[in-house]
Amino acid sequence: MAGAAALRRSARRISRHLAAASSFSRSALQQPERLLSSQASPEHGVRGAVSGSELALYPPERVRNFSIIAHVDHGKSTLADRLLELTGTIQKGHGQPQYLDKLQVERERGITVKAQTATMFYRHTTASQDSDAPRYLLNLIDTPGHVDFSYEVSRSLAACQGALLVVDAAQGVQAQTIANFYLAFESNLSIIPVINKIDQPTADPDNVKEQLKRLFDIDPSEALLTSAKTGKGLEQVLPAVIDRIPSPPGKCDSPVRMLLLDSYYDEYKGVICHVAVVDGALRKGDKIASAATGRAYEVLDVGIMHPELTPTGVLYTGQVGYVISGMRSTKEARIGDTLHQAKSTVEPLPGFKPAKHMVFSGLYPADGSDFEALSHAIEKLTCNDASVSVTKETSNALGMGFRCGFLGLLHMDVFHQRLEQEYGAQVISTIPTVPYIFEYGDGSKIQVENPAALASNPGKRVAACWEPTVIATIIIPSEYVGPVIMLCSERRGEQLEYTFIDAQRALLKYRLPLKEIIVDFYNELKGITSGYATFDYEDSEYQQSDLVKLDILLNGQPVDAMATIVHNQKAQRVGKELVEKLKKFIERQMFEITIQAAIGSKIIARETLSAMRKNVLAKCYGGDITRKKKLLEKQKEGKKRMKRVGSVDIPQEAFHELLKVSNSK
Amino acid sequence: MHRLAIPLVSHLPSRKPAPIRRRPQDARRHASSTAATYSSTPPSPSLSPLPPASAYVHLPFCRKRCHYCDFPIVALGSAAPPRGQGADDPRIVDYVRLLLREVAATRPVSDDGVPLETVFFGGGTPSLVPPRLVAAVLDALRGRFGLSACPEVSIEMDPGTFDAARLAELVGVGVNRVSLGVQAFQEDLLRACGRAHGVKEVHEALGILTSCEGLQNWSMDLISSLPNQTQEMWEESLRCTVDARPTHVSVYDLQIEQGTKFGQMYTPGVFPLPSDTESASFYKIASKHLSEAGYNHYEISSYCKPGYECKHNLTYWQNRPFYAFGLGSASYINGVRYSRPKRMKEYAEWVQELEDGRWIHKCRSSDMKDLAMDVVMLSLRTARGLDLQSFSKSFGKSLTLSLCNVFKPFVESGLVIAMDSKRRALPHIDFELDLQNEGDFGSRVAFIRLSDPEGFLLSNELISLAFGIISP
């Protein structure tokens, strides 16, 4: 099953969309400055403005499309910045670092969530020392690094012929390095290993070379040694790109056919698509159609990202740029789709898949009255992230809200963070869940995306249940192998591989139920390995499991938003933890509260919260009642923020805290 | 500081002040209030502003600040208290001058001159103010607003700040009710609170009060939930209180306020403060002991012998208007609440503005919601409770019904008591039946009150629930 892969995909896609969206308005502002800037010297062949006739000077053999892939923090963004500077695409010291990471969430987390492309012009002087040296058009396609977005990455990689595989000279190969390498390898890309951060005192490039040889069969002599920080070795990078990466293979005289890499929504221009032209040429005014939806559009604007939107009126075979075509929503612009000349039948480019949602969670306004505001924020955000599925749902505890499907965990996190940071929405999210399949004795089957929707007492026998799994890759210093094996077996993992990648580091592969890693697996893994573990995963198939629905009841009333689906053997423990946690976070009220966890009608855990004893202001306050009144009004406001089930008030923190339990230990 | 009251059967002051500007309507009013007992003919919370018939006067001087106190006070220092008629402390004299200016600059609300029924000298420690200065203030009030024939004139006094002569002098100028700030009967507890007196002074003061011929009506303050206070200590204090036979007792529950010494030292509910459970138990013990000794628990923190409710405090709880004078004091006039500046310099400037006619009240007057919240908050603090018919008349039937609905589960659990017009408790089923029968609601239920002690103990919760209905 594509579960895990889809998970990853979703996360990547989401964040990417987000990034691109926010970059746009900035770009509009920056452009004039760039046009005037002295750095766009003739030496680089092109000024800020680029005409269509200039692009015509770059036939496929003068074009290179490549991406940079790396484990997080191995220096991908800094290397990208340096290449952009080196080619005069951005001015050194101007603009912010991590140029291509536009979103606050990307900068904070040091991740890329939306793909970006940047076109650079480069004179290949090492081949010929004179001014007749040939000029090349280089497209850097920046991809998310996280597993959630692997589908998006695979689409971006499909537009490339090569990749720079960046590895930290001290840390060596890590989990995402492996995942990314295989993605690139499967896309038949020419891989240029770049051992970066060689300026560090602990750098050990020879060891890294050995790892690359052992794991990927990469010849040590191919590795470039660089320090993006000091600039050392950078001069070798672009010549290597030109020499080692093939030019794009398209047919110049065919009708236009292009791959949609990503899209984002701009308030003024509508949907902007990043595309790689595979065959033919795309001109302003052309009529194009989507292979996935069949819809036709007129090309209103076309150009390159240099590095901001730069209209050229045309894109030629092998080139990468943007298209604006009057699409109204990014839902029409599906990543991996083929756009082609309208009214001609073309073979769609391979690999298109619709988004697959692997993690679901209910999103509710933190303050009940804000439903409209949340609805609006979600609508706007999904304009830029079509990979989130959204349906309305209602909860007895939380009121009206949305059930959202995400590509993966990071995708979900990023979505929450963007809702808060970019749209100021305050949300309560319910315990994330995965799509389970329940089959009943009568042969009926249901897919469960919301545990509350699963009947607690269905009145018929459950014949079988299935849950999605992932294949996880974990790389750790060998002294941590024991605890990590323990952790994986607690999480119901099945060991598939246990090897050493060098003298100190072990590689573990596990099949794990997706549910077991969606809450706090990574944090715990980091915790027990002093932060040394790296972790990546891909979708795998569904497996049959003994699953039960766990209800939480307050004074006998089920709280739908707190229902979860757990493995039968863990139900007791999870139930107990949830109930204890709730006891801690629900405040005493004017009556006793029983907190129970139940499977069907069987109570498996129970706590009692005794009634509040005293809340009185028996103080002398004379005629000055204003302070007392303020206190009572504050208390009233506090009650208003609570969520109520039956007569029990539940603080919002209780919902947040529950997210932290559900799986662990 | 505390505001306590006069018995409804008034006691004539030994030197009877001549009522000034007494008019026929004053007489009527006086007659009705003396005849009244609190529970039988309660004044309804009024929407149309009546002229105030009460005045609060703040006398902020203390020898030192108690460790729990966050009131606006002026600490005079540990110098011996002025017991005799020696040189008055200039800070006190200056302040009284300021007070008199404020009184003079305050226009009576009604030209018809409704006289004052109650005057309350609160503090601070008003007993530190020389009696002739108290008399000067009282004279000024009489001159400006009139005093009814038998007004309740209360003063707060602390043990160790007065002798028999000084008390007699106060009574002589018209004071007829004393509120004695005892707080505890244990030396250790008094010291830990930072009180300026010990147990010896407490007994001396009790002796002086009980042997004062002209004083029949006096109250005692106690504080429960003090640090390191045990149940035995609390019971001892209650026993000593009952033995002293005051007409009125105020039992306060220690509140830890920010910015006080206790605020820095202690966390509510954490040792050496009692836990919530222990503290609730202290409250219940007080309610039980004092009730058994013949005191009515007529307000959350107030107990009295029958007929000895504090009339001045009833003004507050019935949401009636009142004047206020002095540092940090709060008045309620023409529907507007105003708290005076809490710092002396600002207060002095404010008095100047008032005299110059430059002071314009900046607070918005309260709207209907605020008024409804005030009425609910204040009346639910009393044993009389909320008069539903009167509330309904002022604020509408649907609000009254919603209010009753929110209390329904608590009527059932016994925290709230529904009563008929004769103040007999109704079974919760009657309350619910009455509620279901919307058109006819009120046919049986006339009052709701919080139960004693459980409902009173959760009054903040219950009142804030009502606030949520009134102002969602």
Side-chain angles (χ1 to χ4, degrees):
Chain A
M1 275 256 45
L7 257 187
R8 301 174 179 171
R9 264 164 223 165
S10 35
R12 271 180 204 162
R13 187 188 291 175
I14 288 184
S15 36
R16 247 191 237 176
H17 282 288
L18 306 177
S22 66
S23 70
F24 186 73
S25 48
R26 236 173 38 80
S27 70
L29 290 172
Q30 287 188 349
Q31 205 130 312
E33 184 196 342
R34 181 150 297 113
L35 290 175
L36 298 172
S37 78
S38 60
Q39 54 85 18
S41 67
E43 210 266 315
H44 298 107
V46 182
R47 293 188 176 272
V50 180
S51 69
S53 55
E54 284 180 87
L55 281 192
L57 300 172
Y58 299 92
E61 56 271 23
R62 292 288 187 84
V63 175
R64 296 291 183 272
N65 296 328
F66 69 104
S67 75
I68 307 178
I69 54 182
H71 188 78
V72 64
D73 284 342
H74 281 197
K76 184 179 81 157
S77 298
T78 315
L79 181 60
D81 286 353
R82 292 296 95 79
L83 298 181
L84 292 172
E85 286 167 11
L86 210 68
T87 55
T89 313
I90 60 172
Q91 204 174 346
K92 190 166 184 176
H94 282 232
Q96 46 192 354
Q98 299 181 48
Y99 185 83
L100 295 174
D101 292 335
K102 312 280 187 186
L103 293 183
Q104 188 182 348
V105 57
E106 294 182 309
R107 300 175 156 277
E108 282 175 8
R109 297 181 174 216
I111 56 172
T112 301
V113 291
K114 280 197 73 86
Q116 290 290 330
T117 64
T119 299
M120 302 176 280
F121 296 93
Y122 181 67
R123 190 185 294 274
H124 190 16
T125 47
T126 46
S128 138
Q129 291 301 325
D130 58 51
S131 58
D132 292 336
R135 286 189 212 133
Y136 285 82
L137 187 157
L138 308 178
N139 292 305
L140 168 58
I141 301 172
D142 189 29
T143 62
H146 193 269
V147 66
D148 278 4
F149 305 105
S150 63
Y151 172 68
E152 286 72 6
V153 176
S154 75
R155 293 308 83 209
S156 292
L157 295 182
C160 298
Q161 287 72 46
L164 302 175
L165 175 67
V166 177
V167 184
D168 183 302
Q171 292 182 23
V173 171
Q174 295 297 339
Q176 281 177 26
T177 318
I178 296 178
N180 285 318
F181 172 81
Y182 283 109
L183 278 174
F185 188 72
E186 284 158 16
S187 306
N188 286 316
L189 302 194
S190 302
I191 291 167
I192 302 172
V194 177
I195 299 175
N196 192 32
K197 303 198 189 179
I198 53 166
D199 57 301
Q200 298 172 97
T202 52
D204 187 356
D206 289 339
N207 184 43
V208 178
K209 282 182 190 172
E210 268 175 49
Q211 290 178 352
L212 294 173
K213 170 75 185 154
R214 186 186 308 201
L215 288 165
F216 310 132
D217 200 25
I218 290 174
D219 183 341
S221 69
E222 289 175 21
L224 308 181
L225 302 186
T226 65
S227 166
K229 191 171 148 198
T230 65
K232 195 169 176 195
L234 288 183
E235 71 290 345
Q236 324 157 56
V237 176
L238 292 177
V241 165
I242 291 167
D243 293 341
R244 299 197 210 167
I245 295 177
S247 51
K251 297 178 217 117
C252 300
D253 48 0
S254 294
V256 70
R257 193 167 69 133
M258 56 200 156
L259 179 66
L260 202 163
L261 299 175
D262 206 344
S263 64
Y264 56 95
Y265 183 81
D266 176 79
E267 225 174 297
Y268 302 103
K269 305 200 172 189
V271 175
I272 299 172
C273 299
H274 288 267
V275 294
V277 178
V278 175
D279 295 321
L282 177 72
R283 290 184 171 80
K284 188 172 172 175
D286 282 356
K287 298 274 190 302
I288 56 169
S290 151
T293 66
R295 291 203 214 183
Y297 305 92
E298 182 184 340
V299 175
L300 305 173
D301 184 12
V302 55
I304 57 174
M305 303 298 294
H306 184 51
E308 307 292 346
L309 296 180
T310 306
T312 57
V314 64
L315 280 176
Y316 294 101
T317 309
Q319 296 179 354
V320 173
Y322 72 91
V323 176
I324 298 172
S325 61
M327 287 182 183
R328 298 212 166 168
S329 149
T330 53
K331 293 188 177 86
E332 297 172 50
R334 302 187 186 170
I335 294 177
D337 191 7
T338 302
L339 299 177
H340 57 87
Q341 192 181 63
K343 290 179 187 165
S344 71
T345 357
V346 297
E347 183 70 15
L349 295 160
F352 173 74
K353 289 183 207 160
K356 187 164 177 185
H357 302 111
M358 294 310 293
V359 177
F360 291 84
S361 160
L363 291 186
Y364 291 83
D367 292 305
S369 52
D370 294 349
F371 177 77
E372 287 308 319
L374 178 62
S375 175
H376 184 69
I378 288 182
E379 195 186 316
K380 286 202 107 175
L381 189 47
T382 51
C383 262
N384 265 304
D385 184 3
S387 58
V388 180
S389 72
V390 179
T391 48
K392 277 191 186 168
E393 72 176 15
T394 306
S395 146
N396 68 352
L398 300 172
M400 296 221 287
F402 302 92
R403 175 115 317 230
C404 297
F406 302 97
L407 303 172
L409 295 178
L410 180 69
H411 185 194
M412 179 174 74
D413 261 20
V414 165
F415 190 79
H416 284 181
Q417 197 175 342
R418 292 197 64 190
L419 267 182
E420 294 190 356
Q421 287 178 343
E422 292 168 35
Y423 297 92
Q426 295 294 315
V427 301
I428 296 180
S429 57
T430 62
I431 302 173
T433 187
V434 300
Y436 297 101
I437 295 167
F438 276 69
E439 184 181 350
Y440 293 104
D442 62 6
S444 60
K445 254 190 200 182
I446 51 165
Q447 175 158 334
V448 182
E449 288 158 8
N450 177 1
L454 184 69
S456 302
N457 295 294
K460 50 189 175 184
R461 189 174 58 86
V462 174
C465 333
W466 288 269
E467 64 179 334
T469 67
V470 298
I471 306 282
T473 302
I474 298 165
I475 293 180
I476 35 170
S478 48
E479 64 262 37
Y480 298 112
V481 165
V484 171
I485 287 178
M486 284 285 293
L487 173 66
C488 290
S489 75
E490 275 168 7
R491 303 299 182 112
R492 300 190 281 132
E494 175 199 346
Q495 196 180 86
L496 304 176
E497 191 180 330
Y498 174 12
T499 49
F500 284 87
I501 62 170
D502 61 23
Q504 288 90 37
R505 263 171 282 200
L507 181 154
L508 295 169
K509 265 193 198 275
Y510 270 87
R511 178 190 305 285
L512 285 157
L514 175 59
K515 173 68 192 287
E516 296 286 342
I517 61 165
I518 61 174
V519 177
D520 54 358
F521 180 80
Y522 189 51
N523 280 345
E524 197 157 329
L525 181 66
K526 282 273 182 191
I528 61 173
T529 61
S530 312
Y532 283 113
T534 58
F535 165 65
D536 203 350
Y537 62 93
E538 60 185 288
D539 289 356
S540 189
E541 37 314 315
Y542 269 65
Q543 71 179 17
Q544 201 168 337
S545 285
D546 184 8
L547 301 171
V548 290
K549 181 188 178 190
L550 186 64
D551 282 310
I552 296 292
L553 300 94
L554 296 179
N555 281 354
Q557 284 243 36
V559 186
D560 56 5
M562 292 183 179
T564 54
I565 290 171
V566 293
H567 192 268
N568 201 0
Q569 282 170 12
K570 291 190 157 193
Q572 180 83 40
R573 198 169 45 198
V574 172
K576 193 159 175 281
E577 266 185 69
L578 286 174
V579 157
E580 281 168 5
K581 195 106 186 196
L582 279 175
K583 186 180 179 181
K584 226 182 278 171
F585 283 90
I586 294 180
E587 287 160 24
R588 284 175 199 270
Q589 287 162 44
M590 288 184 278
F591 39 81
E592 185 180 274
I593 298 167
T594 53
I595 308 167
Q596 295 166 311
I599 298 170
S601 45
K602 185 178 149 211
I603 305 296
I604 59 163
R606 178 196 162 105
E607 288 281 347
T608 306
L609 186 63
S610 58
M612 177 195 292
R613 305 278 177 212
K614 172 191 159 213
N615 187 355
V616 59
L617 192 67
K619 186 195 176 182
C620 174
Y621 57 92
D624 191 358
I625 65 165
T626 49
R627 250 176 83 181
K628 175 167 176 54
K629 191 168 168 192
K630 268 187 202 139
L631 183 115
L632 292 169
E633 281 180 327
K634 213 169 128 195
Q635 205 163 324
K636 175 202 88 180
E637 291 303 319
K639 284 195 202 300
K640 213 164 84 179
R641 278 193 300 275
M642 303 257 204
K643 301 296 174 182
R644 172 169 282 209
V645 172
S647 53
V648 182
D649 287 328
I650 311 168
Q652 298 185 5
E653 302 78 67
F655 290 93
H656 295 307
E657 287 301 317
L658 286 193
L659 300 186
K660 297 179 193 162
V661 185
S662 54
N663 251 314
S664 55
K665 290 156 281 173
Chain B
M1 143 168 131
H2 23 280
R3 319 282 123 85
L4 301 174
I6 210 171
L8 294 175
V9 182
S10 294
H11 295 266
L12 293 181
S14 57
R15 195 185 73 190
K16 185 177 179 180
I20 302 177
R21 296 195 297 170
R22 182 138 173 236
R23 305 196 183 154
Q25 68 266 36
D26 302 344
R28 260 203 328 274
R29 187 187 173 87
H30 179 241
S32 75
S33 59
T34 43
T37 68
Y38 178 45
S39 55
S40 59
T41 55
S44 63
S46 62
L47 295 178
S48 54
L50 287 173
S54 294
Y56 173 73
V57 180
H58 194 60
L59 299 174
F61 306 99
C62 287
R63 279 184 294 175
K64 56 188 265 207
R65 185 180 281 278
C66 300
H67 296 164
Y68 50 79
C69 173
D70 69 338
F71 284 131
I73 67 143
V74 175
L76 295 174
S78 52
R83 293 206 182 202
Q85 291 288 347
D88 294 335
D89 189 308
R91 288 170 291 185
I92 298 181
V93 176
D94 288 350
Y95 177 76
V96 172
R97 239 179 237 137
L98 207 49
L99 257 185
L100 295 176
R101 283 169 56 198
E102 189 193 347
V103 171
T106 302
R107 247 194 325 182
V109 168
S110 144
D111 292 336
D112 297 346
V114 172
L116 299 175
E117 300 286 348
T118 74
V119 175
F120 197 105
F121 291 99
T125 310
S127 48
L128 290 175
V129 176
R132 58 174 189 78
L133 295 182
V134 174
V137 175
L138 210 46
D139 284 343
L141 290 174
R142 187 185 294 113
R144 194 74 179 133
F145 306 102
L147 271 185
S148 73
C150 305
E152 174 189 273
V153 180
S154 307
I155 190 165
E156 293 180 336
M157 304 185 82
D158 270 6
T161 61
F162 64 96
D163 53 19
R166 195 172 173 110
L167 176 62
E169 205 179 335
L170 282 170
V171 169
V173 303
V175 169
N176 52 24
R177 185 172 182 278
V178 165
S179 170
L180 186 69
V182 171
Q183 321 310 2
F185 282 88
Q186 295 75 26
E187 201 67 46
D188 290 350
L189 292 191
L190 290 174
R191 201 173 310 118
C193 291
R195 295 288 293 172
H197 61 83
V199 175
K200 181 170 149 275
E201 285 79 11
V202 167
H203 288 295
E204 275 171 19
L206 288 174
I208 297 167
L209 282 184
T210 46
S211 54
C212 176
E213 289 280 318
L215 185 79
Q216 310 303 317
N217 187 10
W218 62 279
S219 176
M220 195 194 288
D221 286 358
L222 293 178
I223 300 181
S224 65
S225 303
L226 290 170
N228 295 305
Q229 192 175 32
T230 64
Q231 185 174 325
E232 290 69 35
M233 293 178 192
W234 182 233
E235 285 171 342
E236 180 187 34
S237 289
L238 289 167
R239 236 183 355 260
C240 293
T241 302
V242 168
D243 288 349
R245 306 180 64 186
T247 50
H248 189 282
V249 183
S250 293
V251 178
Y252 299 118
D253 177 63
L254 181 70
Q255 303 286 322
I256 301 297
E257 302 290 351
Q258 273 188 343
T260 64
K261 192 157 183 190
F262 274 6
Q264 295 163 4
M265 293 168 72
Y266 305 124
T267 310
V270 177
F271 186 82
L273 294 182
S275 67
D276 266 11
T277 310
E278 290 169 297
S279 165
S281 154
F282 287 171
Y283 187 89
K284 290 178 189 173
I285 289 170
S287 178
K288 183 165 177 286
H289 280 223
L290 293 173
S291 299
E292 283 170 3
Y295 291 88
N296 295 332
H297 193 178
Y298 75 103
E299 191 264 349
I300 282 178
S301 41
S302 310
Y303 297 80
C304 69
K305 285 282 170 76
Y308 283 87
E309 288 87 356
C310 175
K311 268 171 65 184
H312 184 83
N313 282 355
L314 290 181
T315 306
Y316 302 147
W317 299 326
Q318 291 166 2
N319 207 32
R320 284 188 277 130
F322 51 90
Y323 295 107
F325 304 96
L327 185 74
S329 65
S331 57
Y332 180 40
I333 300 169
N334 289 333
V336 177
R337 292 187 188 277
Y338 177 69
S339 291
R340 282 147 193 72
K342 291 185 163 60
R343 288 168 196 232
M344 194 59 85
K345 185 164 166 284
E346 287 159 33
Y347 169 65
E349 286 163 3
W350 177 82
V351 170
Q352 185 65 54
E353 277 181 41
L354 187 71
E355 286 177 325
D356 299 349
R358 283 184 292 128
W359 182 66
I360 298 150
H361 192 260
K362 293 171 202 85
C363 293
R364 60 182 186 91
S365 70
S366 33
D367 61 12
M368 287 300 271
K369 273 184 188 172
D370 277 321
L371 202 52
M373 287 196 279
D374 288 355
V375 168
V376 166
M377 170 175 95
L378 295 167
S379 58
L380 288 184
R381 289 185 68 88
T382 65
R384 177 172 180 265
L386 181 65
D387 179 337
L388 294 177
Q389 206 182 353
S390 147
F391 188 82
S392 190
K393 212 157 52 188
S394 303
F395 305 105
K397 191 160 186 171
S398 81
L399 185 62
T400 313
L401 276 170
S402 312
L403 215 53
C404 288
N405 268 309
V406 80
F407 283 139
K408 205 160 71 180
F410 305 105
V411 172
E412 184 173 355
S413 70
L415 293 177
V416 176
I417 297 172
M419 294 176 293
D420 66 12
S421 57
K422 298 202 171 112
R423 310 196 48 78
R424 289 178 302 212
L426 293 168
H428 79 88
I429 195 76
D430 286 11
F431 176 73
E432 280 171 33
L433 285 174
D434 212 22
L435 259 185
Q436 277 164 21
N437 191 8
E438 283 193 18
D440 211 24
F441 179 70
S443 61
R444 304 207 54 189
V445 182
F447 294 91
I448 52 172
R449 62 158 291 184
L450 308 187
S451 64
D452 177 17
E454 282 82 6
F456 277 160
L457 268 169
L458 295 173
S459 52
N460 285 355
E461 286 289 312
L462 292 162
I463 294 168
S464 57
L465 269 185
F467 276 20
I469 297 297
I470 297 166
S471 173

